[in-house]
Amino acid sequence: MAATGAAGMALLLGGCAGLQQQAAPALTAAAPGYQESIAINGRISVQYEQGDRPQSLHGSFIWAQTPKELNLELLSPLGQTVATINVKPGISTLVQSGRAPQVAPDVDQLAAQSLGWPLPVSGMRQWLQGTGTNAAGKTFTAKPGEDYESFSTRDGWRVVYANWQPDPDSGETRPKRIDMTRDTEQAGKVSIRIAVDSWKTP
């Protein structure tokens, strides 16, 4: 299943260059509180191993969450939908082009099995907003303007806030680039880089 999923995700490969760090603007506003409902558009770059060979994926994503549901769409550099993930209480569904929907109670296990590399969807719900739970079980909240602040999770992810940006609508300061890395048996060292392009809250 993982090999098939990886083949489907190969649509993300190609001419799109890796995400580059951008200079962070001067920041003065405080970080916003956690939002239960938020929509995010951005770019994603993934590096992992398959059969001891390095693999790279580049594309974009659309993230939309409410208190009761999460939808994540992964797109190729040309804007084609490669995979969609829907999370509701007790059930997660992943759909890839040309394949039957895959369903499981745990979204992170479902993503790893279907894509061929781990995508920490459950953690990203907090991480994209500058917060999370560290390996000691304590809440971590990143400080706006403090580039390369980081924390590690109990399941081995290291989350780094590389830089920040002001929200032009609210004036609040939000993460601009987030780097996530983890050593895995399934896909070797996995590196995921997220660049947030836009935010929208109710």
Side-chain angles (χ1 to χ4, degrees):
M1 181 182 297
T4 305
M9 288 298 291
L11 288 171
L12 289 174
L13 289 168
C16 181
L19 303 180
Q20 298 180 352
Q21 179 180 350
Q22 300 180 9
L27 303 172
T28 56
Y34 177 80
Q35 300 287 331
E36 290 286 354
S37 298
I38 193 166
I40 301 171
N41 290 355
R43 290 159 288 144
I44 183 170
S45 175
V46 184
Q47 295 183 352
Y48 67 104
E49 295 178 5
Q50 186 180 59
D52 295 325
R53 299 183 62 181
Q55 305 288 330
S56 295
L57 308 173
H58 306 286
S60 59
F61 71 93
I62 300 171
W63 175 285
Q65 74 176 57
T66 67
K68 295 183 179 181
E69 187 172 5
L70 166 65
N71 286 289
L72 172 60
E73 185 175 4
L74 300 173
L75 301 104
S76 74
L78 298 178
Q80 299 168 316
T81 298
V82 175
T84 59
I85 298 174
N86 175 268
V87 184
K88 295 178 181 177
I91 187 168
S92 301
T93 305
L94 188 149
V95 179
Q96 292 175 278
S97 178
R99 297 185 58 194
Q102 305 294 309
V103 179
D106 186 292
V107 63
D108 293 344
Q109 290 183 4
L110 175 64
Q113 292 171 1
S114 299
L115 303 178
W117 46 274
L119 180 64
V121 177
S122 60
M124 288 169 62
R125 184 183 282 266
Q126 285 76 40
W127 304 349
L128 288 171
Q129 299 194 48
T131 187
T133 302
N134 66 18
K138 297 181 179 180
T139 298
F140 171 89
T141 301
K143 300 179 182 64
E146 295 292 328
D147 293 348
Y148 293 98
E149 266 201 307
S150 66
F151 72 99
S152 297
T153 69
R154 284 180 174 174
D155 57 353
W157 285 100
R158 181 171 178 80
V159 183
V160 179
Y161 292 91
N163 53 42
W164 299 76
Q165 64 184 340
D167 187 316
D169 296 324
S170 67
E172 296 172 324
T173 300
R174 301 183 184 277
K176 169 64 177 176
R177 202 189 91 197
I178 306 168
D179 298 341
M180 303 173 287
T181 57
R182 179 184 172 189
D183 290 322
T184 72
E185 293 184 5
Q186 176 192 17
K189 183 175 182 179
V190 177
S191 298
I192 302 174
R193 177 173 292 182
I194 295 289
V196 176
D197 293 326
S198 66
W199 300 77
K200 184 178 180 180
T201 55

